[in-house]
Amino acid sequence: MSIKRKNNLLGNSNKKGISAIIATVLLIALAVAAIAIVWVFVRNMVEDRLGEAGACFEIYDKVTLNDQFTCYGSEDEEIIFSISIGDVEVDEILVGISAGGKSKSFRISEGATVEYLDMWPSSGDLKLPGKNEGLTYVLDMRGAELIGAPNIIQISPVIKGTQCDVSDSVVQIDSCISMGID
């Protein structure tokens, strides 16, 4: 029997094919390439979404209400509140105040005017606290159409055009007289 015929009987033909090892390596390489392509798309999508929220990341202890200068003056129907900003750049601050079942919100930004809101102790155009600074404001509750003692005051910073969640709030608003503030 010839060698050629013997190889054909044993299954060893001269046909060229892909061995099992090469096929496995090719499948693994194909799977790795597919995973890499999917990862690039997913990573870009996640980075885009995080870019919006990233402006607000870890700023909540840096934009606060100062309890020592936040009070309610029942005689003048005013609320005095102080905002402190730490080491962060803020575009504006959204302030929300609730009293007597009603809520009022307004934005404090550089040079803004709000009818019933002034700087304290002087009046004029509103200023936003700078980095590592605090400023105090006075709100005319009657002008804001809020009746009675305020229930809560909340602030939300706007950073790089993105409004962040509430960074601080005061629920227990003391009387200005009891705090020695006139």
Side-chain angles (χ1 to χ4, degrees), residues 112-171:
T113 55
V114 178
E115 278 182 55
Y116 40 83
L117 182 69
D118 280 315
M119 301 295 300
W120 188 79
S122 63
S123 61
D125 286 344
L126 296 177
K127 295 178 185 172
L128 191 64
K131 271 187 172 182
N132 300 311
E133 189 177 68
L135 291 174
T136 304
Y137 306 88
V138 60
L139 175 77
D140 175 8
M141 299 282 284
R142 280 182 249 148
E145 299 176 356
L146 294 171
I147 300 168
N151 306 95
I152 188 170
I153 180 170
Q154 299 176 316
I155 57 171
S156 301
V158 176
I159 298 175
K160 296 180 183 174
T162 301
Q163 181 180 329
C164 305
D165 289 333
V166 172
S167 64
D168 198 9
S169 62
V170 176
V171 192

Side-chain angles (χ1 to χ4, degrees), residues 67 70-74 78-80 150 170-179:
D67 294 348
T70 300
C71 63
Y72 171 65
S74 58
E78 296 177 334
I79 182 170
I80 297 172
V170 176
V171 192
Q172 178 69 36
I173 303 170
D174 295 325
S175 165
C176 292
I177 294 171
S178 68
M179 295 178 70

Side-chain angles (χ1 to χ4, degrees), residues 23-44:
T24 304
V25 169
L26 287 174
L27 284 174
I28 291 172
L30 187 63
V32 168
I35 290 171
I37 290 170
V38 169
W39 173 248
V40 167
F41 285 112
V42 170
R43 188 186 72 193
N44 288 339

